[in-house]
Amino acid sequence: MFRLLKRIALLLFALVAVFAAALYVLYFRRTPLPPATLHARTIPVISIIPGISACWVETAKTFSNFSFGSTAGSILVKHPAGDLLIDTGSSSHYDEEISGYPFATWLKLKVLAGQLKPSVPLPDLLRRIGEDPAKLRWAILSHVHLDHAGGLMDLPHLPVLLTGEELQFAADPNVQAKGYVIAAHTQKFPLVAAPTLRFDSVPYETFDESADLYKDVSVVVVPLRGHTPGSVGIFVNLRPTRRLFYVGDAVDDERGFEKRVGKSLILQDSDNDMALADQLVGRLSELHEKLPGLAIIPAHGRSAYKKFFPSGPSSCVSGQ
C-alpha cells in the first residue's frame, strides 16, 4: 500500500512539474525584442473637459488574485458630447457562436478566449454604472477579434468606429474560418466600402497619424497595425496628469512594454503580422520610457486596469 501511494505521489508530482513547465514555455516565457528606432514626440495640449470620466466595465476575469490575472470588457468614456464605449468583450452567446467550428478550432477558442466569456450581459453592466446602452453615441473597437467585438451582439444598434483596413480584414473568409472573427459580428460593423474611422496626417505623441474623435483632444485614436491590419490604440485624456492609452492586444500585459518582450508562445499565432506586431512593442516601450505617468492599458492586462481604476470594476475616474 505504501509503495502504491508513493508511486501515485510521484506521478502527481511529475504531472504538476510537466504542467508548470508547459505553462512557463507557453505563457510566461517571452522573447526579448530590440528597441524601436527613436521617434520624435509631439506633445499634446490637454484641457480639462467638464463632465468627462472613464469607467471600467469588466465582463469577465481569470486568475484575478494573481498579478498575471486576465480581464475582458470595455472602457466607457462619459463625455458631454455623447458617450463612447471602447471594446465590448465577448458575446453572451459565445458558446453558441463557436459551436459550429471544427473540433481543433473550437477547442482553441473554448480554452483561450472562452475563459473570458461574460456571465452578465454587457448592457446590464453598463446600467450598473448609470449608463443607458440605448444612449451611447459610439463604440470603437481596438480590433475585430471575437473577444473584443462580441459584446456588440448584446447592445442596441449603434455606430461602430472601424478603419477600412480592419473592415476588409473582418470580411476575409480565411480570417473567419480560423475563428478570429465571427461572421454574425460583422453584421454590426459598417459596410466595408464605408469605413467610419479615418486618420489625419496629424502627429500625436510618437505616432504620425491620429483621429481626434471629439475635436477637443479628449479622445485621440492612433493606428497600432500588427495584431490586425487595422488595430488602433485610444488615448483618453481626463486631465494633463490623468491619461490612459488603451492598446488592445498590441501586448499581452504590462510586461510587454515594461520589459519589451513579445507575445507568449500560445498567443503568437493571433498576430496577423508578427514582425509588425513585434516592432510595435518596441514603440510602446519607447513611449512608456518617455511618459512613465501615462497608463498604458492592454485589453487583457488586469493589473494595469487596477492601477488606473483603484476602486476596481464598475468604477469611474473623473477628470475633475
Side-chain angles (χ1 to χ4, degrees), residues 7 16 19 28 54 67 72 90 143 151 188-189 197 232 242 247 259 265 270 289 308 316:
R7 287 177 181 177
V16 169
F19 175 79
F28 289 104
S67 61
S90 292
H143 60 293
K188 293 280 190 172
F189 300 166
L197 179 63
V232 300
R242 194 62 170 165
V247 298
K259 298 184 178 180
L265 182 62
S270 68
E289 291 177 1
F308 193 83
C316 301

Side-chain angles (χ1 to χ4, degrees), residues 105-172:
T105 303
W106 172 86
L107 183 63
K108 179 180 70 174
L109 296 173
K110 182 74 173 177
V111 170
L112 296 179
Q115 300 304 308
L116 291 171
K117 64 182 181 182
S119 57
V120 178
L122 180 57
D124 293 342
L125 294 173
L126 289 170
R127 293 187 187 99
R128 291 179 185 179
I129 55 174
E131 181 68 26
D132 182 351
K135 293 184 178 179
L136 287 168
R137 177 174 178 177
W138 294 310
I140 186 169
L141 302 181
S142 63
H143 60 293
V144 292
H145 282 172
L146 75 170
D147 56 328
H148 297 258
L152 291 172
M153 305 302 289
D154 298 317
L155 292 170
H157 179 76
L158 78 164
V160 180
L161 305 181
L162 287 167
T163 66
E165 296 164 294
E166 196 68 357
L167 289 169
Q168 291 175 8
F169 174 77
D172 186 337

